[in-house]
């Protein structure tokens, strides 16, 4: 799935313009962090992860006709947190993004990640 591959490469290398181009204008974004989310806020958090993390790696991926489910390891200087991402894809654009973060590890290893 080329769209998903490009998405992964874009955000993990901190190429926000590349990632932004893949998002449909009416993309739905959700996460389990204690803050409201829209596509711009989500991209800013992904930027912070890419900039701060020692590394971001995909440890599991399951593709479907209309999207993918991905599990990432987010390696920080003092430990690793997990992110599960569900992407919906339609007409070569991402129309749905759902993030489930390991909130305890995120708060410990990426302090202030989603603070305003």
């Amino acid at each position: 799935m080329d769209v998903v591959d490009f998405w992964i490469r874009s955000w993990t290398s901190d190429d926000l313009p590349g990632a932004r181009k893949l998002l449909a204008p009416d993309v739905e974004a959700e996460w389990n962090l204690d803050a409201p989310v829209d596509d711009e806020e989500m991209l800013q958090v992904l930027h912070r992860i890419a900039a701060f993390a020692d590394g971001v790696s995909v440890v599991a991926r399951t593709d479907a006709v209309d999207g993918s489910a991905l599990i990432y390891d987010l390696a920080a200087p003092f430990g690793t947190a997990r992110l599960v991402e569900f992407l919906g894809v339609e007409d070569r654009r991402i129309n749905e993004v759902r993030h489930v973060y390991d909130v305890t590890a995120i708060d410990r290893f990426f302090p202030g990640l989603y603070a305003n």
Side-chain angles (χ1 to χ4, degrees):
M1 191 169 276
D2 295 336
V3 171
V4 175
D5 292 333
F6 191 83
W7 170 259
I8 294 166
R9 278 193 309 275
S10 294
W11 87 257
T12 60
S13 67
D14 203 19
D15 174 13
L16 291 189
R20 189 176 282 112
K21 285 192 298 190
L22 295 171
L23 297 177
D26 59 345
V27 64
E28 292 180 38
E30 286 185 15
W31 63 19
N32 66 323
L33 300 177
D34 188 22
V37 66
D38 60 18
D39 55 325
E40 191 56 39
E41 181 64 24
M42 178 192 62
L43 287 171
Q44 290 305 313
V45 166
L46 292 177
H47 157 70
R48 290 182 202 124
I49 291 170
F52 180 75
D54 292 333
V56 177
S57 56
V58 176
V59 295
R61 176 176 171 170
T62 302
D63 291 326
V65 173
D66 60 349
S68 291
L70 303 126
I71 301 174
Y72 298 92
D73 271 350
L74 313 173
F78 303 106
T80 300
R82 283 255 160 110
L83 161 62
V84 179
E85 180 176 61
F86 301 93
L87 300 174
V89 177
E90 185 177 307
D91 297 327
R92 303 189 51 74
R93 302 289 296 270
I94 296 172
N95 64 350
E96 191 174 0
V97 181
R98 307 265 186 263
H99 283 176
V100 180
Y101 289 89
D102 175 350
V103 182
T104 302
I106 289 291
D107 288 344
R108 184 179 315 131
F109 302 131
F110 294 87
L113 177 68
Y114 53 93
N116 294 346

